[in-house]
């Protein structure tokens, strides 16, 4: 989750720990690949920046569900550790918290075209996954009409091993292309544990500030995951150094390897009017402790 930026004075992680929100990005040298990799499927729309956003400390994107309507309030997806109030504790789930956070909306060529504003944090957690979902003051239709930008769509099925992907960072206005190397049964970083994480092949050497970037599947053109962490120093299960844990409890450390959290599990939890409904059929996102029966 937490990776220090080698390009921002003082490091984004330092800002996060100071309470300005987190910005773990992944470790390693920045090896940016502008656009889709050579392995992309033919006739697939090239990956660009349209619909991505820049936060004060992270990246993100305006996202819609497969059944979202134009009049629904728009949603922005980023990491749980990017929330402006600081890292949620292990086991903590935040729902419907007022927020006035702003986001720079990018067009296809990474130009800033608008400033979007949140009305609330609809959902945030660093338990099982690492996501924050903001509800905006404008609808999907408003954004498309005013700025000519369509939201990115969340894939409603599990990511596919071997699929070509691009991580699109609105913060840095850079892209990173590689493949999905596989999936991690459990990944632990500090006090947090995540389930079924996406592991990248080595070409995606994301950096601090790329946290929250949408991971675009080249074949579908949809968001299949959200970029969130990487092992910087080869340490075992510490902050900035997540470790992999298999079903038998074996721990593996992969220095320099970067990861994302799958996002298909969000789709069943979003109802009419972009409302996060954790009681909907098929929704398995963690619930606030008081709501667990």
């Amino acid at each position: 989750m937490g990776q220090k930026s080698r390009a921002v004075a003082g490091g984004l992680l330092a800002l996060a720990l100071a309470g300005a929100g987190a910005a773990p990005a992944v470790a390693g040298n920045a090896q940016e690949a502008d656009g889709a990799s050579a392995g992309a499927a033919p006739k697939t729309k090239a990956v660009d920046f349209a619909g991505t956003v820049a936060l004060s400390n992270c990246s993100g994107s305006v996202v819609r569900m497969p059944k979202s309507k134009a009049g629904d309030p728009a949603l922005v997806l980023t990491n749980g550790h990017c929330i402006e109030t600081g890292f949620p504790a292990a086991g903590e789930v935040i729902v419907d918290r007022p927020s006035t956070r702003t986001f720079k909306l990018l067009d296809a060529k990474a130009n800033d075209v608008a400033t979007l504003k949140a009305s609330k944090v609809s959902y945030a957690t660093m338990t099982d996954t690492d996501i924050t979902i903001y509800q905006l003051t404008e609808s999907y239709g408003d954004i498309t009409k005013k700025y000519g930008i369509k939201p990115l769509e969340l894939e409603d099925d599990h990511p596919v091993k071997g699929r070509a992907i691009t991580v699109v960072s609105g913060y840095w206005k850079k892209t990173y292309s590689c493949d999905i190397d596989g999936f991690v049964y459990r990944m632990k970083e500090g006090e947090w544990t995540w389930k079924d994480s996406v592991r990248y092949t080595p070409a995606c050497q994301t950096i601090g500030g790329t946290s929250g970037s949408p991971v675009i599947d080249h074949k579908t053109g949809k968001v299949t995951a959200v970029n969130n962490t990487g092992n910087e120093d080869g340490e075992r299960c510490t902050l900035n150094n997540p470790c992999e844990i298999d079903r038998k409890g074996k721990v593996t450390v992969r220095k320099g390897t970067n990861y994302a959290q799958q996002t298909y599990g969000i789709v069943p939890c979003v109802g009419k009017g972009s409302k996060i409904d954790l009681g909907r059929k098929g929704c398995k996102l963690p619930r606030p402790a008081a709501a667990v029966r």
Side-chain angles (χ1 to χ4, degrees):
M1 156 217 60
Q3 298 131 345
K4 299 172 227 173
S5 168
R6 290 171 169 76
V8 175
L12 292 174
L13 181 59
L15 291 177
L17 297 179
V26 285
N29 297 321
Q31 297 176 354
E32 299 88 2
D34 293 321
S37 70
K43 298 184 180 180
T44 298
K45 181 179 180 293
V47 176
D48 59 35
F49 292 90
T52 62
V53 300
L55 287 71
S56 58
N57 59 344
C58 287
S59 301
S61 57
V62 179
V63 296
R64 66 181 297 272
M65 306 306 119
K67 295 184 179 180
S68 293
K69 306 298 183 184
D72 292 341
L75 301 176
V76 161
L77 174 65
T78 186
N79 283 150
H81 71 258
C82 294
I83 193 171
E84 64 267 36
T85 48
F87 296 171
E92 183 179 5
V93 176
I94 298 164
V95 294
D96 293 332
R97 176 184 290 176
S99 175
T100 57
R101 194 165 196 184
T102 58
F103 314 86
K104 292 292 186 182
L105 177 67
L106 276 57
D107 67 10
K109 296 183 178 180
N111 297 307
D112 295 349
V113 295
T115 298
L116 305 177
K117 186 176 181 179
S119 61
K120 66 178 179 178
V121 173
S122 290
Y123 185 88
T125 192
M126 289 175 63
T127 299
D128 294 354
T129 186
D130 185 9
I131 59 171
T132 297
I133 302 171
Y134 289 93
Q135 181 172 303
L136 302 183
T137 58
E138 297 179 273
S139 70
Y140 295 115
D142 291 335
I143 293 171
T144 299
K145 183 177 180 179
K146 291 180 182 179
Y147 316 118
I149 303 296
K150 294 182 179 180
L152 302 178
E153 184 175 331
L154 288 191
E155 174 61 62
D156 61 0
D157 204 356
H158 195 282
V160 178
K161 182 178 180 179
R163 192 67 63 78
I165 54 172
T166 293
V167 181
V168 189
S169 172
Y171 184 94
W172 288 117
K173 300 183 178 181
K174 294 183 181 294
T175 61
Y176 305 78
S177 293
C178 59
D179 296 336
I180 294 177
D181 186 56
F183 305 99
V184 182
Y185 176 66
R186 297 289 184 268
M187 188 162 68
K188 181 173 176 58
E189 181 173 340
E191 67 181 84
W192 300 279
T193 300
W194 302 307
K195 297 179 178 179
D196 198 22
S197 302
V198 175
R199 183 199 309 119
Y200 304 144
T201 52
C204 279
Q205 288 294 312
T206 45
I207 61 173
T210 63
S211 288
S213 299
V215 179
I216 308 298
D217 184 313
H218 289 191
K219 184 174 181 178
T220 66
K222 298 179 182 180
V223 178
T224 195
V226 58
N227 181 65
N228 84 308
T229 194
N231 187 295
E232 287 197 345
D233 307 309
E235 295 180 4
R236 177 183 168 115
C237 315
T238 62
L239 190 64
N240 305 325
N241 294 282
C243 61
E244 300 184 10
I245 304 173
D246 69 14
R247 292 178 181 274
K248 295 182 179 180
K250 179 183 177 182
V251 177
T252 301
V253 174
R254 300 176 188 266
K255 182 179 179 180
T257 296
N258 302 314
Y259 303 90
Q261 299 304 307
Q262 49 78 15
T263 51
Y264 77 100
I266 296 171
V267 175
C269 305
V270 182
K272 293 181 180 179
S274 299
K275 181 176 175 56
I276 305 299
D277 181 357
L278 302 178
R280 292 188 86 227
K281 181 180 180 180
C283 179
K284 297 180 181 180
L285 289 177
R287 302 183 185 187
V292 175
R293 298 289 186 265

